[in-house]
Amino acid sequence: MASNIRVPQQERSIEKKNKIIQAGYELFSEVGYYGTNTVEIAKRAGVSTGIVYGYFEDKRDILICVLEIYIDKVYKPLAHIIDHSPQPVDLYRLALSVIDKTIELHEQNAKLHNTLHSLATTDEAVNAQFISLENKITEQMSKQLLKIGIKTDNITEKVHLAMNIVQSFAHETVFDSHSYIDYEQMKKIVCNILVELFK
Amino acid sequence: MASNIRVPQQERSIEKKNKIIQAGYELFSEVGYYGTNTVEIAKRAGVSTGIVYGYFEDKRDILICVLEIYIDKVYKPLAHIIDHSPQPVDLYRLALSVIDKTIELHEQNAKLHNTLHSLATTDEAVNAQFISLENKITEQMSKQLLKIGIKTDNITEKVHLAMNIVQSFAHETVFDSHSYIDYEQMKKIVCNILVELFK
Amino acid sequence: MASNIRVPQQERSIEKKNKIIQAGYELFSEVGYYGTNTVEIAKRAGVSTGIVYGYFEDKRDILICVLEIYIDKVYKPLAHIIDHSPQPVDLYRLALSVIDKTIELHEQNAKLHNTLHSLATTDEAVNAQFISLENKITEQMSKQLLKIGIKTDNITEKVHLAMNIVQSFAHETVFDSHSYIDYEQMKKIVCNILVELFK
Amino acid sequence: MASNIRVPQQERSIEKKNKIIQAGYELFSEVGYYGTNTVEIAKRAGVSTGIVYGYFEDKRDILICVLEIYIDKVYKPLAHIIDHSPQPVDLYRLALSVIDKTIELHEQNAKLHNTLHSLATTDEAVNAQFISLENKITEQMSKQLLKIGIKTDNITEKVHLAMNIVQSFAHETVFDSHSYIDYEQMKKIVCNILVELFK
DNA sequence: AATGAATGAGCCTTCATTCAT
DNA sequence: AATGAATGAAGGCTCATTCAT
């Protein structure tokens, strides 16, 4: 069947589409993909159930769009921090800022993060979207780091790795709460790893 | 109402319970938790639908058990590697072994890994189980590292962190396949981080 | 979670809701509450399974509504008889009319009557609904009796009792068919009791 | 299929059968017929699930037997009261005793009473059993009343009616609890009806 | 473009009954 | 006679998607 999905050109339509994505973003974050139903998305977005299928092929299609704004919400603030870090760069300080911001972001987005990753495993399209968007981010970040004077070999690999480590730590902090872990101490260790990585 | 779940004591019953867990393990891995239904689990386990509820409280209860064997499958081989690493310890070599093993394990378990992490976000019981099992593992690993002569401050934090980093890298390698990343190079960087961490 | 039950305002919706109640009424009457399933109710009402849950919270909720119309069907005709009894009131004649009508009604509703009473025993909400609706009826009947000139002490108690006796007798007549009972004779006795009660 | 139901002749078997009936009696009383499952009955009776089907054809068959002991439990105490009422008979006093006893019995058996009546509506065999046992009781009671010197025409009809009225009032008292009803007053009215009936 | 009532396949779970031991 | 694990049909309910308006 040919796609009947409208590409909204009028402003009001774009606005409505965004409202749906925002509602999806919120609900997927709060109760996960399978905990959310389309009626609820529509209700939260202030539109009718039917029209959702005017803008999106199916529920998964909403997820794909949510994924886009998720990546934005998570990585843009980090890019901003890197871009605006005072010169000359104090790597340790920068690492700390990035980590703290990531934790803050993770507190809001952790559920969605996991939901997305889980679906990426099952759903090829979600996975592809994930990868392609991560690509862009890594590239951007690498450039930014160069711009602020951080020069090192294997910059892409290191950026990627650094992002993963920080994500991982943030998740640990926000979620797992192992009582025997001293998270402040752990944070310092992470900072040192990052410093070592980019010095 | 009191739980009517049988605690199987006879060998044949335990075997049957394990068959169901194994079926759950496979199906959750292949198509995720929500992509699996109980009839399918029963069919794959070679039992009737009804008896599943003789051994488990509900579908989620199966997941909890799958989680346990997942943790075992993922961490036990690593414990083995650490225990059997030749003395005196070559940290870089050990790191390499651990990473390679983790990748190998992740190739089999990555989907389940994400499924479980995603559900941990939504489901408090799953999360609790996850945390408690991780606790045990971290403790064990720390002891093992001490036994093979690795002494450092903040050992628990570092072990935890190291596990996360390796996991993260393994996931990256198995899944994301960003074309511009040189994973061999990345692996070396990870190894160096680990060496730095425990030296 | 807030109730998602629609309160149908449009005529067509109300009609549909009533169709479901009517289907429930018929099926509960024919085969009891537990002998009826929701698919069957939907089929009989000419709607889909799903929409039943658009109008009712669950199967029991249908029962509650059926209870309402049951009470109406059983008591309204009696109220009508009392209201339209020729003046001056011939108590014996009135009693006879009420009894005959009750028998007639019971012939149609006896099964449901028992089903409802049985569930009231188990289900607090059903019981509450039963009581509250009976309250209204008793009050109404008492007023009507006063209006047609029947004055006595303890009117509420007597009305209640009278209703129970007549119900009981009607049930006896319709259902139990004890061969050795002369129901015509019994009817006269009941009439005399009622006359004695309100004279 | 030919009936494989054993007619237990050995004492131990009879005892076991009775235990099952007793368990059924209790559970049907507590949570109704549909709220009880056979596993629970077996457990309460201290026997295995399987053997239940050695003594009874199916779950309903248990109910039939429960019905028998129910009738005994409810009517025997009443017969006893009538038999042992002091001579010469004070009808009002006797009525009062019967009513109070019925209330007491109803407090224990009301749920079962309704359950049984409800099933009688749907199930011909249950209904037949009900009728046949009621027959016996009515006959007995009539004889007893004669024996203690109560002579009246239409004795059977009146006994039946009286039983119904008392039952009905007991139910009212135990269950419905309409706040505006003065049950003590109502009881007196019922007594007077009974006196009037048999004087 | 929009509505929201309607659809119906599919899911989790229960339980009367059977059967291998 | 007895056990209790096992069966599998059936039931209540949800929800992605469609459709009449």
Side-chain angles (χ1 to χ4, degrees):
Chain A
M1 205 183 291
S3 168
N4 287 318
I5 303 308
R6 286 165 217 126
V7 178
Q9 246 103 28
Q10 289 169 12
E11 233 173 277
R12 250 194 34 199
S13 282
I14 293 171
E15 208 176 287
K16 201 168 270 194
K17 182 168 186 179
N18 283 335
K19 263 187 193 163
I20 296 167
I21 296 171
Q22 179 61 25
Y25 172 80
E26 288 169 24
L27 284 164
F28 295 160
S29 293
E30 289 165 22
V31 289
Y33 182 73
Y34 293 101
T36 304
N37 63 38
T38 47
V39 172
E40 211 65 38
I41 293 176
K43 208 179 280 172
R44 171 98 51 128
V47 299
S48 71
T49 325
I51 203 59
V52 170
Y53 289 83
Y55 291 115
F56 300 90
E57 229 165 45
D58 50 24
K59 193 184 165 187
R60 214 200 58 192
D61 195 16
I62 303 174
L63 186 87
I64 304 276
C65 294
V66 166
L67 175 54
E68 273 182 70
I69 69 165
Y70 161 75
I71 302 266
D72 267 19
K73 287 205 183 189
V74 168
Y75 287 89
K76 269 197 181 154
L78 298 179
H80 183 267
I81 284 177
I82 296 168
D83 265 350
H84 294 74
S85 60
Q87 290 290 3
V89 177
D90 175 346
L91 260 182
Y92 191 91
R93 219 164 255 282
L94 179 56
L96 211 57
S97 308
V98 167
I99 288 169
D100 283 338
K101 194 68 186 175
T102 304
I103 289 172
E104 184 195 324
L105 292 164
H106 212 72
E107 266 157 1
Q108 299 158 29
N109 290 286
K111 279 193 186 179
L112 184 57
H113 172 94
N114 280 4
T115 293
L116 290 169
H117 266 283
S118 173
L119 288 165
T121 312
T122 306
D123 188 318
E124 192 43 52
V126 174
N127 195 39
Q129 185 78 338
F130 229 130
I131 289 173
S132 114
L133 284 164
E134 269 188 350
N135 284 357
K136 274 195 279 180
I137 297 298
T138 306
E139 205 178 346
Q140 243 176 53
M141 277 217 171
S142 301
K143 276 184 196 160
Q144 284 175 337
L145 286 173
L146 278 169
K147 217 164 54 184
I148 63 172
I150 290 168
K151 277 170 196 165
T152 171
D153 51 342
N154 303 116
I155 181 84
T156 348
E157 282 74 19
K158 286 181 178 173
V159 164
H160 227 88
L161 202 51
M163 292 196 320
N164 283 344
I165 291 170
V166 172
Q167 277 283 340
S168 184
F169 171 66
H171 184 86
E172 186 76 30
T173 308
V174 172
F175 259 87
D176 289 11
S177 57
H178 298 276
S179 55
Y180 54 85
I181 298 259
D182 180 339
Y183 286 99
E184 276 313 305
Q185 204 56 251
M186 207 172 176
K187 196 197 280 188
K188 284 178 194 159
I189 300 169
V190 174
C191 280
N192 286 328
I193 289 174
L194 298 184
V195 169
E196 201 70 26
L197 211 52
F198 291 106
K199 83 179 171 195
Chain B
M1 208 180 290
S3 166
N4 284 318
I5 303 307
R6 275 164 228 140
V7 178
Q9 246 104 26
Q10 290 163 12
E11 231 173 280
R12 253 198 36 197
S13 278
I14 292 171
E15 210 175 284
K16 200 165 274 191
K17 182 167 186 178
N18 284 335
K19 262 189 196 164
I20 295 167
I21 296 173
Q22 179 62 25
Y25 176 80
E26 287 169 24
L27 284 164
F28 295 159
S29 293
E30 289 166 23
V31 289
Y33 182 74
Y34 293 103
T36 304
N37 64 32
T38 49
V39 173
E40 211 62 40
I41 293 175
K43 207 179 281 171
R44 171 99 48 130
V47 299
S48 72
T49 331
I51 201 58
V52 170
Y53 290 84
Y55 291 113
F56 301 90
E57 236 169 39
D58 51 22
K59 191 183 161 189
R60 215 201 55 190
D61 195 20
I62 304 175
L63 186 87
I64 303 275
C65 293
V66 166
L67 174 53
E68 264 181 81
I69 68 164
Y70 161 76
I71 301 262
D72 268 16
K73 286 202 185 189
V74 168
Y75 286 90
K76 272 201 179 149
L78 299 180
H80 184 265
I81 285 177
I82 296 169
D83 266 349
H84 294 74
S85 59
Q87 290 287 7
V89 177
D90 176 347
L91 259 183
Y92 191 91
R93 216 163 257 281
L94 178 56
L96 210 56
S97 305
V98 167
I99 290 169
D100 284 338
K101 193 66 185 178
T102 304
I103 290 171
E104 184 195 325
L105 291 165
H106 213 72
E107 267 158 359
Q108 299 158 30
N109 290 288
K111 284 189 182 183
L112 184 58
H113 172 93
N114 280 4
T115 292
L116 290 170
H117 265 285
S118 173
L119 286 166
T121 313
T122 305
D123 188 317
E124 190 45 49
V126 175
N127 196 38
Q129 181 79 340
F130 231 130
I131 288 173
S132 119
L133 287 165
E134 271 186 349
N135 284 359
K136 271 194 279 180
I137 299 299
T138 304
E139 204 179 345
Q140 254 175 48
M141 277 215 168
S142 301
K143 277 184 195 160
Q144 285 177 335
L145 287 175
L146 277 169
K147 218 163 52 183
I148 64 171
I150 291 169
K151 278 168 197 165
T152 170
D153 51 343
N154 304 120
I155 181 86
T156 348
E157 283 74 18
K158 285 182 179 172
V159 164
H160 228 87
L161 202 51
M163 291 196 321
N164 283 344
I165 292 171
V166 172
Q167 277 282 340
S168 186
F169 171 66
H171 186 86
E172 186 76 31
T173 308
V174 173
F175 257 86
D176 290 11
S177 56
H178 298 276
S179 55
Y180 54 87
I181 299 258
D182 179 338
Y183 286 100
E184 275 313 306
Q185 205 53 251
M186 206 173 177
K187 194 197 283 187
K188 284 176 194 161
I189 299 169
V190 173
C191 281
N192 285 327
I193 289 174
L194 298 184
V195 169
E196 200 69 28
L197 212 51
F198 291 104
K199 84 177 171 197
Chain C
M1 207 181 290
S3 168
N4 283 318
I5 303 307
R6 277 164 226 138
V7 178
Q9 245 104 29
Q10 288 165 11
E11 231 174 280
R12 253 201 32 200
S13 278
I14 292 171
E15 210 176 285
K16 198 164 277 190
K17 182 167 186 180
N18 284 335
K19 263 189 195 163
I20 295 167
I21 296 172
Q22 180 61 26
Y25 174 82
E26 287 168 25
L27 284 163
F28 295 159
S29 293
E30 289 166 22
V31 288
Y33 182 73
Y34 293 102
T36 305
N37 64 33
T38 49
V39 173
E40 211 63 40
I41 293 175
K43 206 178 281 171
R44 172 98 49 129
V47 300
S48 70
T49 331
I51 201 59
V52 170
Y53 291 85
Y55 291 113
F56 301 89
E57 237 169 40
D58 51 23
K59 191 183 163 188
R60 213 200 56 190
D61 195 18
I62 303 174
L63 186 87
I64 303 276
C65 293
V66 166
L67 173 55
E68 264 180 82
I69 67 164
Y70 160 76
I71 301 263
D72 269 17
K73 286 203 184 187
V74 168
Y75 287 89
K76 272 200 177 150
L78 299 181
H80 184 267
I81 285 176
I82 297 168
D83 265 348
H84 293 74
S85 59
Q87 290 287 3
V89 177
D90 175 347
L91 259 183
Y92 191 90
R93 216 163 258 281
L94 177 56
L96 210 58
S97 307
V98 167
I99 289 169
D100 284 337
K101 193 67 185 176
T102 304
I103 289 172
E104 183 195 326
L105 290 166
H106 214 71
E107 268 158 359
Q108 299 157 29
N109 290 288
K111 284 190 183 182
L112 184 58
H113 173 93
N114 279 4
T115 293
L116 290 169
H117 265 285
S118 173
L119 287 165
T121 313
T122 306
D123 188 318
E124 191 44 49
V126 174
N127 196 38
Q129 182 78 341
F130 232 131
I131 288 173
S132 118
L133 287 165
E134 271 187 348
N135 284 358
K136 271 193 281 180
I137 299 300
T138 304
E139 205 180 345
Q140 253 176 47
M141 278 216 168
S142 301
K143 277 184 196 160
Q144 285 177 334
L145 288 175
L146 277 169
K147 220 166 48 184
I148 64 172
I150 292 169
K151 275 168 199 166
T152 171
D153 50 344
N154 304 119
I155 180 89
T156 346
E157 283 73 18
K158 286 182 178 172
V159 164
H160 229 86
L161 202 50
M163 290 197 319
N164 284 344
I165 292 171
V166 172
Q167 276 282 340
S168 187
F169 171 65
H171 185 86
E172 187 75 31
T173 309
V174 173
F175 258 87
D176 291 11
S177 53
H178 298 276
S179 55
Y180 54 86
I181 300 258
D182 178 340
Y183 286 99
E184 275 313 307
Q185 204 55 250
M186 207 172 177
K187 195 197 282 188
K188 282 177 195 161
I189 300 169
V190 174
C191 280
N192 285 328
I193 289 173
L194 298 184
V195 169
E196 200 71 25
L197 211 51
F198 290 105
K199 81 175 174 199
Chain D
M1 204 183 291
S3 170
N4 288 317
I5 303 307
R6 287 165 217 128
V7 178
Q9 247 104 25
Q10 290 168 11
E11 232 173 279
R12 248 192 37 198
S13 281
I14 292 171
E15 208 177 287
K16 203 168 269 193
K17 183 167 185 180
N18 283 334
K19 264 188 193 164
I20 296 168
I21 295 171
Q22 179 61 25
Y25 173 79
E26 287 169 24
L27 285 164
F28 295 160
S29 292
E30 289 166 22
V31 289
Y33 182 73
Y34 293 102
T36 303
N37 63 39
T38 47
V39 172
E40 211 64 38
I41 293 175
K43 208 180 281 172
R44 172 97 52 128
V47 299
S48 72
T49 324
I51 203 58
V52 170
Y53 288 84
Y55 292 114
F56 300 89
E57 229 166 47
D58 51 23
K59 193 182 163 188
R60 211 200 61 192
D61 194 16
I62 303 173
L63 185 86
I64 304 277
C65 294
V66 166
L67 175 53
E68 273 180 69
I69 68 165
Y70 160 75
I71 302 267
D72 266 18
K73 287 204 186 189
V74 168
Y75 287 88
K76 268 196 181 155
L78 298 180
H80 183 267
I81 284 177
I82 296 167
D83 265 350
H84 293 75
S85 60
Q87 290 289 5
V89 176
D90 176 346
L91 260 183
Y92 190 91
R93 218 165 257 281
L94 178 57
L96 211 56
S97 307
V98 167
I99 289 170
D100 285 337
K101 192 68 184 174
T102 304
I103 289 172
E104 184 195 324
L105 292 165
H106 211 72
E107 266 157 1
Q108 299 157 29
N109 291 287
K111 279 193 186 179
L112 184 58
H113 173 95
N114 280 5
T115 293
L116 290 169
H117 265 284
S118 173
L119 288 165
T121 313
T122 306
D123 189 318
E124 191 43 51
V126 174
N127 196 40
Q129 184 78 339
F130 230 130
I131 288 172
S132 115
L133 284 164
E134 269 188 351
N135 284 358
K136 273 193 281 179
I137 297 298
T138 305
E139 205 178 346
Q140 243 175 56
M141 278 215 169
S142 301
K143 277 183 198 160
Q144 284 175 337
L145 286 173
L146 277 169
K147 218 164 51 185
I148 64 173
I150 291 169
K151 277 170 198 164
T152 172
D153 51 342
N154 305 117
I155 181 86
T156 349
E157 283 73 18
K158 285 181 178 173
V159 165
H160 228 88
L161 201 50
M163 290 196 322
N164 283 345
I165 290 171
V166 172
Q167 276 283 340
S168 185
F169 171 66
H171 185 87
E172 186 75 30
T173 307
V174 173
F175 258 87
D176 289 12
S177 58
H178 298 276
S179 55
Y180 53 86
I181 299 259
D182 179 340
Y183 286 100
E184 276 314 305
Q185 203 55 251
M186 206 172 176
K187 195 197 280 188
K188 284 177 194 160
I189 300 169
V190 173
C191 281
N192 286 327
I193 289 174
L194 297 185
V195 169
E196 200 70 27
L197 213 51
F198 291 106
K199 81 176 173 197

